[in-house]
Amino acid sequence: MPNLSERREDIPRLFVQLVEEASIRYKRPAPTLPGAVLSRISAREWPGNVRELRNAADRFALGLDLDIGGAKAGEGRTPFGSVGDL
């Protein structure tokens, strides 16, 4: 599987999916994802690859800081809609 740095265009959709999976796992409502957060997620280097992205999605689903400029859950909407729309 290629590194996330080689598949930047897939990062926003993957993050949306991972956030929704985390929301189900933690039995919490799925937060909305602002475009600014998705832009920061896409621009960030992910040396830990999908594991690190999944951890960030878990934090976001729990309403915790992502350490990417203070982005937290509930700050907007995702342009991708729900996982069912992907």
Side-chain angles (χ1 to χ4, degrees):
M1 175 181 262
N3 292 331
L4 289 176
S5 61
E6 297 172 20
R7 300 175 46 210
R8 287 210 180 274
E9 68 280 356
D10 294 334
I11 292 173
R13 288 178 182 261
L14 181 57
F15 187 74
V16 169
Q17 180 175 344
L18 292 171
V19 167
E20 291 204 8
E21 288 173 4
S23 296
I24 292 167
R25 190 169 52 254
Y26 296 120
K27 297 180 173 126
R28 297 181 56 104
T32 55
L33 286 143
V37 169
L38 293 174
S39 294
R40 284 182 257 162
I41 291 288
S42 297
R44 188 178 184 284
E45 293 298 319
W46 294 99
N49 283 309
V50 175
R51 180 182 298 166
E52 186 178 2
L53 186 64
R54 180 177 288 118
N55 289 341
D58 283 0
R59 291 181 59 80
F60 194 83
L62 291 169
L64 303 173
D65 191 349
L66 290 178
D67 296 327
I68 58 165
K72 289 187 181 179
E75 293 181 340
R77 300 181 46 126
T78 172
F80 297 111
S82 68
V83 170
D85 297 332
L86 296 178

